[in-house]
Amino acid sequence: IRKINTYLSNLGLKSPLESLSDLGAIESLRVPGKEEFRELREQATDPQAEQELINSIEQVYFSTDSFDIVKYELEKLPPVLNLQELEEYRDKLKQQQAAVSKKVADLILEKQPAYVKELERVTSLQTGLQLAAVICTNGRRHLNIAKEGFTQASLGLLANQRKRQLLIGLLKSLRTIKTLQRTDVRLSEMLEEEDYPGAIQLCLECQKAASTFKHYSCISELNSKLQDTLEQIEEQLDVALSKICKNFDINHYTKVQQAYRLLGKTQTAMDQLHMHFTQAIHNTVFQVVLGYVELCAGNTDTKFQKLQYKDLCTHVTPDSYIPCLADLCKALWEVMLSYYRTMEWHEKHDNEDTTSTSEGSNVIGTEETNFDRGYVKKKLEHGLTRIWQDVQLKVKTYLLGTDLSIFKYDDFIFVLDIISRLMQVGEEFCGSKSEVLQESIRKQSVNYFKNYHRTRLDELRMFLENETWELCPVKSNFSILQLHEFKFMEQSRSPSVSPSKQPASTSSKTVTLFEQYCSGGNPFEIQANHKDEETEDVLASNGYESDEQEKSAYQEYDSDSDVPEELKRDYVDEQTGDAPVKRLSVSRETLKSRKKSDYSLNKVNAPILTNTTLNVIRLVGKYMQMMNILKPIAFDVIHFMSQLFDYYLYAIYTFFGRNEQLESTGLGLSSSRLRTTLNRIQESLIDLEVSADPTGTLTAAEERKEKVPSPHLSQLVVLTSGDTLYGLAERVVATESLVFLAEQFEFLQPHLDAVMPAVKKPFLQQFYSQTVSTASELRKPIYWIVAGKAIDYEQMLLLMANVKWDVKEIMSQHNIYVDALLKEFEQFNRRLNDVSKRVRIPLPVSNILWEHCIRLANRTIVEGYANVKKCSNEGRALMQLDFQQFLMKLEKLTDIRPIPDKEFVETYIKAYYLTENDMERWIKEHREYSTKQLTNLVNVCLGSHINKKARQKLLAAIDDIDRPKR
């Protein structure tokens, strides 16, 4: 059975007979013959029963060959043998043997066709092998014949020809190797010529050729040498790339980029470039500052080179601070300009590459190029902010190294101007608002400006207290834009070029600094003589214009026969007086329309201002420079500017307009707005406790630091002389200089409004509406003082008191007090002419003076009439005659129409003719008259035609009107 199992595993390789013969080796196992096989096959069996018999065979019978069946069966026998059991067990084994034999026979017969077929294949293979043996025998025989047919010489020729061909190829290879050996000389020459793309191209070609001949031993050394040369080229290429950071050259940069592209290291080149730019910023600022520090130190000590940049900045001296800052910004500008031009180069060549690649068909190469281009673009865009941040930090460190409060104002402004230009460069460079620089310079600027403003306020007080209020001679075409401090309003600011030399831009397109200086120049260049070139030409020679203009005016005037003789006489008097006056050329129409009250045509029509006014205007210009340079502190600057104007206005009022008697007149000379403004200035700006006890609280002391003591008028200014109309010239100069200053503030309002933050604009509007606009209102109280003293009103009252008003007949001759009053006005007119020879009196000023004098005269007339004890109808008519005579003569002296308070007098005179009922209504409607005037009107003038009861009633009405005033 074991052998049968082995046979089954090798079925098809042994014949059934051989297999059966192998079964003979099994001891005590009889091999059935052919007849028995046939019998077994013919026996009707149950396949399922046979399979059960086979399955019932013990597993040990299928074990290895070393298994002894007989021994196994004998060992299984019991100690006591039972024949019947043995026979039954034998029969069982025979049945199992028969089942296995039958199964084997079936399998053998089943594979019989396959065996026959395999036997036929073996036979065919044997036949083929025999034929192959015959062919091999014939081939060997023919080879022997061919060997015997060829000679040794023929084979030698073939060998030599083959050797010749090999030697020719070897010669070509040796020549190529010789050329490769000499390549290093050419590579060195190309590197000296900075032909990096050609050197790399040649090196790569040599490497490719060397790889072809790598089977030669000498090539391995050459290949290593070429690799070293390529690395050397990359190092020199990196050095060449670093040179781009300070001085960009298009051809040089193009070669470098082509070289990196050949190496396939475009992205690496961009990373290296940004590293070089960062290093260039650090090295540049350090070398600039180190140069100035060593120069100022005056020795060759190398200790400064070991310092950190932050510590090195603290050693810059004040004298070299500004030149060092300018050179620092100039050097940083070169670095940023190089980066800007680098970006331009890439934008231009990206467009060219896009056009060229769109015509090609290499999709893989195009995708790789687009990826590199996108990487370079993002890297450059990101580098903008990074480089600008580095620049800001370096400049901020430099600024913090020195206390800027030690500088004078012009130097401080110059520092701000340079920083402002640098911030402008940064905004154009990457769109940044320069927060780092702004915050740093803003803190220092606010502190500096507070101290500077406090000093300027003290200087202004000193100027005002020493001001004699003499006219500062400026040209008739004077404008604040002609002053050096306001040059920035006409031209763009530049520390490199004088504003007067900057060409006015005619194009509406804004040119950036990078576009302007891309081809050359530097926005931070300093010209030593830029201030000398910016001269001012605003002062007139002795305050007069040219003699030719004067002669032209005289000739036109003298040839005009239509000019009244009176005007001619006045003109001649002015021309031949002790103080001849030069004037501008005027036309006939101007001379014909000249008013008697206009005292300004005999002077150059130049602005009226003083040296102090000019200093204030210059201060305003300086303040605006700082505000224009550093807009974040615009509110602080404008607030300080308003204090300058406030203090000037308060000083003018204190010197010339403060009079306790003014408000008692009831004429409304000071408007409520003016009074409010003056009170606000006094409370917020004026220190009224200068001599107070210094042991006050700390808060009070801090508040007083923000205030300025009230100024005092110079003792050289005399305001009590009647010959000078009580200092009218000084009053005109002071008041009109304030008006002129207010006009300049009005002129500057749009510019201030443009830079003022939106949240602070209400302050600016309030300043203009409540302060600047009130400057002209000071004219009334100031000139009222002159008008109140220029004419002797008390003398007129005494003359009127001597007149007899209870006459019985109508008089045809006016009283002498009228002539006396008119003489006073004539004298006043002459004095005005005298004053006008010193100072031009503008028409509004002369009108206000005449208006004040006439109003005071008319009110004096009414007051004189109110002092009358007795008056008849004829006396009332005499009053009307006197007043009409006064008006007729007065109209020849002045052109003011209508005459001020004319109705005030006439209405008072006509009230005499009113009835009792009309009089009561008239009293209630005319509250402009005083109680004394109304009472006198009732008692004296109306006493003759009303009874006592009616008089009491009218007096009661007057008392009711007067009661609220008490």
Side-chain angles (χ1 to χ4, degrees):
I1 294 173
R2 185 171 63 252
K3 291 295 184 180
I4 292 174
N5 190 38
T6 302
Y7 169 76
L8 291 176
S9 64
N10 298 296
L11 188 62
L13 298 178
K14 295 182 179 180
S15 65
L17 294 177
E18 293 173 341
S19 300
L20 290 174
S21 64
D22 292 338
L23 294 175
I26 304 175
E27 293 180 337
S28 68
L29 181 65
R30 189 178 59 88
V31 179
K34 292 182 180 180
E35 294 298 330
E36 290 177 342
F37 271 120
R38 186 180 298 110
E39 290 178 359
L40 290 172
R41 288 178 57 83
E42 290 177 354
Q43 288 178 4
T45 58
D46 185 3
Q48 183 176 359
E50 290 181 354
Q51 187 63 36
E52 291 178 354
L53 285 173
I54 293 173
N55 293 338
S56 65
I57 298 174
E58 294 182 21
Q59 189 66 29
V60 71
Y61 288 99
F62 298 97
S63 61
T64 60
D65 294 339
S66 61
F67 176 67
D68 188 353
I69 301 173
V70 176
K71 184 179 178 180
Y72 175 73
E73 289 296 335
L74 291 176
E75 290 177 351
K76 287 175 59 178
L77 294 177
V80 179
L81 299 176
N82 190 333
L83 182 60
Q84 184 178 357
E85 291 179 353
L86 290 174
E87 289 179 353
E88 289 178 354
Y89 184 68
R90 185 194 59 184
D91 293 339
K92 180 181 177 180
L93 291 175
K94 287 182 178 181
Q95 291 176 358
Q96 291 177 345
Q97 181 184 9
V100 169
S101 299
K102 186 175 183 302
K103 184 69 174 179
V104 170
D106 291 340
L107 292 172
I108 292 173
L109 292 177
E110 183 180 348
K111 300 294 182 178
Q112 183 67 29
Y115 165 76
V116 175
K117 186 177 179 179
E118 182 65 21
L119 186 62
E120 292 176 354
R121 190 176 70 80
V122 171
T123 304
S124 175
L125 181 61
Q126 185 178 4
T127 304
L129 291 173
Q130 292 175 353
L131 180 61
V134 174
I135 294 173
C136 290
T137 303
N138 293 334
R140 287 180 178 179
R141 186 174 66 253
H142 286 94
L143 284 175
N144 290 330
I145 295 173
K147 181 178 180 181
E148 294 174 357
F150 286 101
T151 62
Q152 187 70 26
S154 298
L155 292 175
L157 287 174
L158 291 175
N160 289 336
Q161 178 64 23
R162 180 175 178 273
K163 187 176 181 180
R164 179 176 179 272
Q165 295 294 332
L166 292 174
L167 291 175
I168 290 174
L170 179 61
L171 182 61
K172 291 181 179 179
S173 300
L174 291 175
R175 287 174 178 172
T176 303
I177 293 172
K178 182 179 180 180
T179 303
L180 292 175
Q181 294 287 357
R182 297 179 178 177
T183 303
D184 57 343
V185 178
R186 178 56 185 158
L187 285 175
S188 300
E189 293 176 354
M190 296 178 77
L191 289 178
E192 291 179 359
E193 297 171 357
E194 295 185 348
D195 185 10
Y196 304 108
I200 292 175
Q201 185 69 33
L202 178 60
C203 191
L204 292 177
E205 290 177 357
C206 290
Q207 282 187 329
K208 184 177 180 181
S211 64
T212 305
F213 303 102
K214 62 183 179 180
H215 49 281
Y216 296 104
S217 58
C218 62
I219 289 298
S220 60
E221 181 181 354
L222 176 63
N223 206 0
S224 176
K225 186 177 181 180
L226 287 174
Q227 185 62 34
D228 294 340
T229 303
L230 188 60
E231 293 177 358
Q232 181 183 358
I233 293 175
E234 289 188 24
E235 292 177 359
Q236 294 193 20
L237 196 59
D238 188 60
V239 174
L241 185 64
S242 65
K243 296 179 180 178
I244 299 296
C245 300
K246 293 184 179 180
N247 187 15
F248 183 85
D249 181 80
I250 293 180
N251 296 328
H252 182 76
Y253 189 68
T254 302
K255 290 180 181 179
V256 172
Q257 283 296 323
Q258 288 176 351
Y260 274 109
R261 188 172 297 177
L262 289 173
L263 291 174
K265 295 183 177 181
T266 304
Q267 297 182 16
T268 303
M270 192 51 53
D271 296 337
Q272 288 293 108
L273 181 63
H274 281 79
M275 183 186 68
H276 288 313
F277 267 106
T278 302
Q279 190 67 25
I281 292 174
H282 174 76
N283 294 339
T284 298
V285 297
F286 187 85
Q287 291 301 324
V288 170
V289 177
L290 178 63
Y292 276 92
V293 171
E294 291 181 342
L295 179 65
C296 297
N299 54 42
T300 58
D301 192 357
T302 59
K303 66 177 182 179
F304 296 115
Q305 297 179 357
K306 301 177 182 178
L307 294 177
Q308 295 291 329
Y309 173 73
K310 180 179 180 181
D311 300 328
L312 189 65
C313 291
T314 60
H315 289 80
V316 179
T317 61
D319 293 337
S320 61
Y321 185 85
I322 293 179
C324 181
L325 176 61
D327 286 347
L328 192 68
C329 293
K330 185 167 66 173
L332 291 173
W333 159 262
E334 296 294 341
V335 175
M336 288 190 286
L337 179 63
S338 296
Y339 195 89
Y340 175 81
R341 297 184 67 185
T342 301
M343 291 194 66
E344 275 192 336
W345 186 93
H346 281 279
E347 290 177 0
K348 178 181 178 182
H349 284 75
D350 284 350
N351 295 332
E352 294 176 357
D353 293 344
T354 303
T355 305
S356 61
T357 53
S358 62
E359 298 175 356
S361 58
N362 190 351
V363 178
I364 298 177
T366 302
E367 291 179 354
E368 184 177 355
T369 302
N370 290 336
F371 178 78
D372 289 342
R373 189 183 302 119
Y375 178 85
V376 169
K377 183 178 180 181
K378 290 182 179 179
K379 192 75 175 179
L380 288 172
E381 291 176 352
H382 176 71
L384 285 172
T385 305
R386 178 183 173 185
I387 288 177
W388 175 235
Q389 288 296 328
D390 290 344
V391 170
Q392 286 190 92
L393 291 175
K394 296 299 181 184
V395 177
K396 176 185 176 181
T397 303
Y398 181 82
L399 292 174
L400 295 177
T402 303
D403 185 8
L404 298 183
S405 62
I406 64 176
F407 291 111
K408 295 181 180 179
Y409 181 83
D410 290 339
D411 293 334
F412 184 76
I413 284 293
F414 199 79
V415 171
L416 290 187
D417 202 16
I418 294 177
I419 299 302
S420 177
R421 177 55 58 91
L422 183 62
M423 290 191 291
Q424 181 183 352
V425 168
E427 186 171 355
E428 294 178 1
F429 184 68
C430 62
S432 172
K433 295 299 181 182
S434 309
E435 293 83 0
V436 176
L437 277 179
Q438 276 191 6
E439 184 62 25
S440 174
I441 200 67
R442 183 184 181 279
K443 292 181 179 179
Q444 298 194 55
S445 298
V446 171
N447 295 332
Y448 180 92
F449 196 64
K450 283 184 178 179
N451 297 329
Y452 179 81
H453 174 67
R454 175 64 197 189
T455 305
R456 298 293 80 77
L457 279 179
D458 292 336
E459 287 183 358
L460 178 58
R461 179 171 68 90
M462 181 187 67
F463 288 149
L464 289 170
E465 291 181 344
N466 291 276
E467 179 64 66
T468 58
W469 303 104
E470 295 291 337
L471 187 66
C472 178
V474 295
K475 291 190 174 182
S476 59
N477 62 346
F478 170 75
S479 170
I480 61 173
L481 298 180
Q482 297 169 351
L483 297 176
H484 166 69
E485 289 79 5
F486 290 91
K487 291 293 183 181
F488 72 94
M489 294 185 63
E490 289 187 330
Q491 289 127 348
S492 60
R493 295 177 291 103
S494 174
S496 59
V497 182
S498 172
S500 61
K501 287 193 171 185
Q502 290 184 356
S505 178
T506 57
S507 174
S508 58
K509 181 181 178 181
T510 303
V511 180
T512 65
L513 293 175
F514 288 95
E515 295 172 347
Q516 182 178 354
Y517 296 100
C518 186
S519 58
N522 195 301
F524 299 98
E525 288 285 353
I526 300 179
Q527 292 185 358
N529 59 345
H530 76 280
K531 289 186 178 180
D532 297 336
E533 296 175 357
E534 297 175 354
T535 57
E536 296 176 347
D537 186 18
V538 297
L539 297 179
S541 177
N542 296 326
Y544 306 136
E545 295 289 341
S546 64
D547 293 337
E548 289 75 9
Q549 292 176 335
E550 175 191 11
K551 293 178 181 178
S552 174
Y554 290 159
Q555 289 172 0
E556 287 190 17
Y557 185 81
D558 292 339
S559 62
D560 193 346
S561 59
D562 296 334
V563 178
E565 186 65 22
E566 184 180 4
L567 287 183
K568 277 190 178 181
R569 184 174 62 251
D570 290 343
Y571 193 90
V572 172
D573 290 342
E574 293 170 11
Q575 180 184 4
T576 59
D578 295 335
V581 180
K582 303 285 185 180
R583 74 198 70 191
L584 286 171
S585 175
V586 290
S587 63
R588 287 188 179 88
E589 290 74 11
T590 303
L591 289 171
K592 288 178 180 179
S593 61
R594 181 183 187 274
K595 295 183 178 181
K596 302 177 182 66
S597 57
D598 190 352
Y599 299 89
S600 61
L601 285 179
N602 61 336
K603 294 291 290 183
V604 175
N605 192 22
I608 298 177
L609 66 159
T610 65
N611 289 326
T612 303
T613 315
L614 200 57
N615 285 332
V616 172
I617 293 175
R618 290 184 186 277
L619 272 180
V620 170
K622 290 181 178 181
Y623 285 22
M624 292 186 64
Q625 282 182 22
M626 180 175 288
M627 176 181 60
N628 197 61
I629 292 172
L630 200 60
K631 292 181 174 59
I633 66 170
F635 171 73
D636 299 310
V637 176
I638 293 177
H639 175 65
F640 292 148
M641 284 173 56
S642 69
Q643 288 187 347
L644 292 176
F645 186 86
D646 289 347
Y647 195 70
Y648 194 86
L649 183 146
Y650 185 83
I652 300 300
Y653 170 76
T654 304
F655 293 166
F656 304 103
R658 177 175 287 176
N659 193 323
E660 292 76 6
Q661 298 178 355
L662 290 180
E663 300 304 324
S664 64
T665 60
L667 298 177
L669 297 175
S670 298
S671 65
S672 59
R673 184 175 60 169
L674 177 60
R675 291 193 299 271
T676 302
T677 299
L678 292 171
N679 291 333
R680 176 188 60 80
I681 296 174
Q682 182 170 301
E683 293 175 0
S684 62
L685 187 61
I686 306 303
D687 184 8
L688 301 176
E689 302 177 0
V690 177
S691 59
D693 185 9
T695 60
T697 61
L698 181 61
T699 305
E702 291 295 330
E703 290 179 355
R704 288 183 57 189
K705 281 185 179 180
E706 305 296 329
K707 296 184 178 183
V708 188
S710 180
H712 302 285
L713 183 64
S714 172
Q715 295 179 356
L716 299 177
V717 180
V718 180
L719 303 179
T720 58
S721 175
D723 296 335
T724 60
L725 277 180
Y726 305 95
L728 178 60
E730 289 79 2
R731 295 177 189 272
V732 170
V733 172
T735 307
E736 299 312 307
S737 67
L738 174 64
V739 174
F740 177 78
L741 184 62
E743 291 173 353
Q744 306 318 303
F745 269 83
E746 293 284 356
F747 171 74
L748 297 174
Q749 183 178 7
H751 186 81
L752 299 179
D753 190 68
V755 297
M756 175 67 95
V759 295
K760 301 295 185 179
K761 284 188 177 181
F763 167 80
L764 185 64
Q765 296 171 358
Q766 182 180 7
F767 168 66
Y768 272 93
S769 62
Q770 297 184 7
T771 305
V772 176
S773 60
T774 61
S776 59
E777 297 181 10
L778 273 181
R779 283 171 170 168
K780 285 188 175 182
I782 290 176
Y783 297 135
W784 177 269
I785 298 175
V786 176
K789 297 179 180 181
I791 295 177
D792 192 353
Y793 304 103
E794 295 296 330
Q795 180 65 26
M796 188 176 66
L797 286 176
L798 294 176
L799 293 175
M800 293 181 69
N802 295 328
V803 176
K804 187 177 181 181
W805 300 103
D806 55 347
V807 295
K808 301 301 181 181
E809 59 182 14
I810 296 177
M811 306 297 292
S812 60
Q813 180 65 31
H814 60 273
N815 289 302
I816 60 173
Y817 75 88
V818 177
D819 296 329
L821 182 59
L822 290 172
K823 286 181 180 180
E824 290 282 342
F825 274 102
E826 289 174 358
Q827 184 180 4
F828 173 71
N829 189 32
R830 286 193 300 270
R831 290 177 178 176
L832 279 181
N833 280 322
D834 293 338
V835 173
S836 68
K837 295 174 183 179
R838 289 180 53 199
V839 177
R840 178 178 64 88
I841 301 179
L843 182 59
V845 175
S846 61
N847 285 341
I848 289 177
L849 284 168
W850 277 99
E851 180 183 348
H852 284 343
C853 289
I854 295 172
R855 179 172 279 111
L856 284 172
N858 287 333
R859 291 183 177 269
T860 303
I861 291 174
V862 173
E863 186 67 20
Y865 293 160
N867 291 333
V868 175
K869 303 300 181 180
K870 295 180 180 180
C871 182
S872 60
N873 292 339
E874 291 78 10
R876 186 63 66 180
L878 182 58
M879 291 180 182
Q880 291 181 340
L881 176 63
D882 291 345
F883 187 64
Q884 293 301 321
Q885 179 67 18
F886 171 69
L887 292 178
M888 182 179 65
K889 295 294 183 179
L890 184 63
E891 288 176 351
K892 293 180 180 180
L893 295 175
T894 180
D895 295 307
I896 295 180
R897 301 291 186 275
I899 298 298
D901 280 353
K902 175 183 176 182
E903 293 80 6
F904 183 79
V905 180
E906 292 178 341
T907 304
Y908 188 80
I909 296 175
K910 294 176 182 179
Y912 174 79
Y913 305 103
L914 297 176
T915 62
E916 176 186 347
N917 295 331
D918 294 336
M919 188 62 184
E920 185 178 359
R921 184 174 63 253
W922 184 91
I923 290 174
K924 294 180 180 179
E925 293 176 353
H926 294 78
R927 300 191 178 188
E928 65 270 20
Y929 298 101
S930 66
T931 303
K932 174 187 174 183
Q933 294 167 352
L934 295 176
T935 303
N936 181 271
L937 186 65
V938 173
N939 291 332
V940 178
C941 301
L942 301 181
S944 58
H945 58 272
I946 62 173
N947 55 36
K948 184 177 180 180
K949 184 178 180 180
R951 185 185 303 112
Q952 292 296 331
K953 182 179 179 181
L954 292 175
L955 291 176
I958 295 173
D959 187 64
D960 292 339
I961 295 174
D962 183 59
R963 187 175 294 111
K965 298 180 182 179
R966 297 172 185 171

